Amino acid sequence: MIAYIEPYFLDNDADTASVTGQSFDGVSESLDIQGEILCDGAAADIAGKDFGGMNCVKPLAVVRPVGPEDIAGAVRAALRSDKLTVAARGNGHSINGQAMAEGGLVVDMRSTAENHFEVGYLPGGGAFVDVSGGALWENVLKRCVSEYGLAPRSWTDYLGLTVGGTLSNAGVSGQAFRYGPQTSNVTELDVVTGNGDAVTCSEMENSELFFSVLGGLGQFGIITRARVLLQPAPDMVRWIRVVYTEFDEFTGDAEWLVSQKDESTFDYVEGFVFVNGDDLVNGWPTVPLHPDHDFDPTRLPQSSGSVLYCLELALHYRDSDSNSAVDKRVERLIGRLRFIKGLRFEVDLPYVDFLLRVNQSEEIAKVNGTWETPHPWLNLFVSKRDIGEFDRTVFKELAKNGVGGPMLVYPLLRSRWDDRTSVVLPEGDIFYIVALLRFVPTCAKASSVEKMVAQNQEVVQWCVRKGIDFKLYLPHYKSREEWIRHFGNRWSRFVDRKSMYDPMAILSPGQKIFNRAP
């Protein structure tokens, strides 16, 4: 199979799936769909830019499907053409144009958001919800909690993302150490493959397609329905942040917490790096959880370095739990941690409000304009073996003045991930997610954005040069060699899956892995 698809590998000199000269009139005749088709300026306005804001391409048309039949119709129309490609677009939160299709068809999955919502129960008694691939996690949360008192088990930090979009990558947050990523919390999918087929798949039925699509970067199929596992939703959350000066103490405590049995640890564990200074965006003010909280720098030892570390924790509880019982559980868990006394912050808030905590930051960013500016983000998985060296070089040197946004770092357990999916991870039982989430000020010049992108590249190149065991999360590469390095010994499996489910390389051209086959 590899030999069959070999001519369609992307390389440095390849024309990246360009379809210059493609006639919309010719394509529209074969697009027999019930939904809406937008072209020209309207298509560019909808799908010509993403959240990253660093790529601007013009699709041939945007398809707003009514259901899977329309999505399959768009793929089949592309198959009948010479060069046409198809990209599924959720809420447009990609960073490097991954959901774009230059000169191709972009399927706006938001039009299918309400197609599915049904709660059911598995034979063993566990609950699930069937939702559309185009549904926003935020809306799934609200309906599940308000109507059934249930909630999905695993989340992302920001919930303004589509179900299909996060399942095509992994979907991680502070609950993933316990339940695994979102890809480990679905039991069934409906998928439209690159062959134009609408297929139901699960671990038992069409299993190869099921595991291919999960974390598959959109290369094998478009998710139109997902069956997501649910659990009883708590009422409240005790949200805590504690500060560290030493990276090894920070990581040691975090690794201890995520390695405990479920009842012996917090329900949520994350962490971040911040600048040891009063910078409003990068420093001390980013740590307190409430306006009444003050960060007291006099609590810091004189030996403190240029950056500090914050462990972020949450404990779920019910309205019926007494305050003293919650306090006792928290103190039992937090008592052995080695954070700086006097730099502990905590608040209690409803469970849904906790999960939607990023919404307030989103509103602020929209008001000040930084939501619409470029976002040269970098997301990586780094092995436990190398996270200390990563801290010394990246956090303490390259990013010691901050990145204009959060610098996340926290451990995950490999045992909670399924190796049959298309996601690739570093070696070892524990690895870290690292996210440099840059927000560009509205007054910044284009050269400053280029500098940020260059610094991201410097980080990646340093990792390669030093032999750091890492993988890009939400990966973006421009050459075949880079993609082969990314997938390592799973590259041949990825290629074989492509040849089975999208042999003409119709799907997800913005990932720049394969070229469209003529």
Side-chain angles (χ1 to χ4, degrees):
M1 290 184 178
I2 293 178
Y4 171 69
I5 203 168
E6 182 79 21
Y8 313 133
F9 289 135
L10 185 74
D11 57 48
N12 285 314
D13 300 320
D15 178 10
T16 60
S18 172
V19 290
T20 304
Q22 182 77 52
S23 167
F24 175 72
D25 291 338
V27 173
S28 64
E29 293 176 0
S30 63
L31 270 174
D32 182 17
I33 67 172
Q34 299 179 48
E36 186 179 12
I37 303 172
L38 303 174
C39 59
D40 299 326
D45 289 343
I46 294 170
K49 189 178 179 182
D50 60 14
F51 185 68
M54 297 173 290
N55 295 271
C56 186
V57 301
K58 184 178 180 181
L60 181 68
V62 169
V63 176
R64 285 180 164 164
V66 171
E69 298 81 6
D70 283 354
I71 298 171
V75 173
R76 287 194 290 267
L79 285 167
R80 289 191 293 267
S81 73
D82 291 333
K83 300 179 180 179
L84 205 61
T85 57
V86 177
R89 178 186 174 94
N91 210 24
H93 210 76
S94 299
I95 303 302
N96 292 292
Q98 290 97 326
M100 294 180 179
E102 185 174 4
L105 301 178
V106 173
V107 179
D108 186 354
M109 297 297 293
R110 294 174 300 179
S111 65
T112 68
E114 303 301 323
N115 283 9
H116 301 280
F117 190 90
E118 183 177 356
V119 170
Y121 294 88
L122 298 168
F128 66 82
V129 62
D130 283 335
V131 292
S132 168
L136 293 182
W137 283 107
E138 176 178 350
N139 295 333
V140 173
L141 167 68
K142 292 176 180 177
R143 286 196 65 180
C144 284
V145 172
S146 64
E147 297 177 22
Y148 297 92
L150 299 169
R153 308 190 303 178
S154 188
W155 298 98
T156 53
D157 285 327
Y158 175 63
L159 302 189
L161 308 171
T162 59
V163 171
T166 64
L167 293 180
S168 296
N169 289 280
V172 295
S173 185
Q175 306 87 3
F177 78 92
R178 175 174 293 179
Y179 300 109
Q182 291 179 318
T183 50
S184 295
N185 289 274
V186 292
T187 62
E188 187 175 280
L189 301 172
D190 285 345
V191 174
V192 173
T193 71
N195 294 312
D197 300 322
V199 183
T200 297
C201 56
S202 66
E203 184 176 5
M204 303 302 294
E205 178 184 9
N206 298 309
S207 61
E208 188 70 20
L209 176 61
F210 179 72
F211 291 114
S212 298
V213 169
L214 292 173
L217 308 177
Q219 292 297 310
F220 313 110
I222 298 173
I223 298 171
T224 61
R225 178 188 62 88
R227 178 162 291 180
V228 180
L229 294 175
L230 301 176
Q231 65 180 1
D235 298 312
M236 298 291 293
V237 169
R238 174 73 56 85
W239 185 15
I240 304 168
R241 286 178 176 173
V242 292
V243 174
Y244 294 75
T245 59
E246 301 301 322
F247 188 68
D248 59 345
E249 293 182 350
F250 163 76
T251 55
D253 284 357
E255 290 172 13
W256 179 81
L257 285 170
V258 303
S259 300
Q260 300 304 299
K261 294 181 179 179
D262 289 355
E263 66 275 7
S264 302
T265 190
F266 289 94
D267 297 289
Y268 165 99
V269 178
E270 283 199 13
F272 61 91
V273 184
F274 63 101
V275 173
N276 187 4
D278 60 2
D279 184 287
L280 291 175
V281 176
N282 302 290
W284 305 326
T286 62
V287 178
L289 293 170
H290 190 276
D292 292 340
H293 294 168
D294 290 319
F295 188 103
D296 182 3
T298 65
R299 297 279 188 173
L300 298 170
Q302 291 185 350
S303 59
S304 300
S306 59
V307 297
L308 304 170
Y309 311 94
C310 179
L311 195 57
E312 186 171 41
L313 312 165
L315 185 73
H316 298 165
Y317 63 94
R318 309 293 302 186
D319 286 335
S320 57
D321 295 335
S322 67
N323 287 336
S324 60
V326 176
D327 291 342
K328 185 176 181 179
R329 289 175 62 195
V330 168
E331 295 309 316
R332 177 175 58 83
L333 292 172
I334 210 169
R336 75 172 299 280
L337 304 185
R338 295 166 289 177
F339 60 90
I340 300 170
K341 306 309 176 187
L343 290 179
R344 170 179 169 180
F345 308 90
E346 58 186 80
V347 295
D348 292 86
L349 70 169
Y351 174 69
V352 171
D353 290 354
F354 172 73
L355 290 179
L356 296 178
R357 63 197 179 279
V358 179
N359 285 21
Q360 183 178 0
S361 299
E362 177 184 355
E363 292 304 315
I364 294 172
K366 286 180 176 179
V367 170
N368 65 29
T370 56
W371 195 257
E372 301 300 328
T373 60
H375 298 91
W377 289 5
L378 178 64
N379 298 271
L380 311 95
F381 294 136
V382 180
S383 68
K384 172 184 174 179
R385 182 198 74 187
D386 294 323
I387 195 63
E389 187 170 1
F390 190 95
D391 167 65
R392 289 188 291 273
T393 297
V394 178
F395 294 141
K396 287 188 171 75
E397 293 182 17
L398 295 177
K400 65 181 180 181
N401 296 317
V403 297
M407 294 191 289
L408 305 182
V409 55
Y410 56 91
L412 298 169
L413 301 179
R414 189 185 183 92
S415 61
R416 299 294 189 263
W417 297 62
D418 195 318
D419 286 340
R420 292 172 292 181
T421 71
S422 293
V423 182
V424 287
L425 303 171
E427 296 299 323
D429 296 334
I430 294 178
F431 63 95
Y432 281 75
I433 184 167
V434 176
L436 306 182
L437 307 181
R438 307 173 189 271
F439 281 80
V440 178
T442 54
C443 59
K445 297 180 181 179
S447 58
S448 66
V449 177
E450 294 171 0
K451 185 178 179 180
M452 293 178 185
V453 172
Q455 190 179 72
N456 288 344
Q457 294 171 344
E458 183 181 1
V459 171
V460 174
Q461 291 166 2
W462 171 81
C463 288
V464 173
R465 188 171 63 251
K466 295 294 290 185
I468 300 297
D469 184 12
F470 83 103
K471 300 294 181 184
L472 285 189
Y473 178 51
L474 313 177
H476 176 70
Y477 294 111
K478 295 182 179 180
S479 71
R480 175 191 176 192
E481 289 71 26
E482 290 172 312
W483 281 112
I484 291 175
R485 185 189 69 224
H486 174 77
F487 284 104
N489 60 11
R490 296 189 182 179
W491 171 246
S492 60
R493 185 185 72 173
F494 195 82
V495 173
D496 285 347
R497 287 173 166 180
K498 185 71 170 178
S499 68
M500 281 191 287
Y501 302 119
D502 185 24
M504 302 299 286
I506 297 292
L507 299 176
S508 200
Q511 293 284 359
K512 295 182 170 59
I513 306 176
F514 303 99
N515 277 329
R516 166 70 157 89

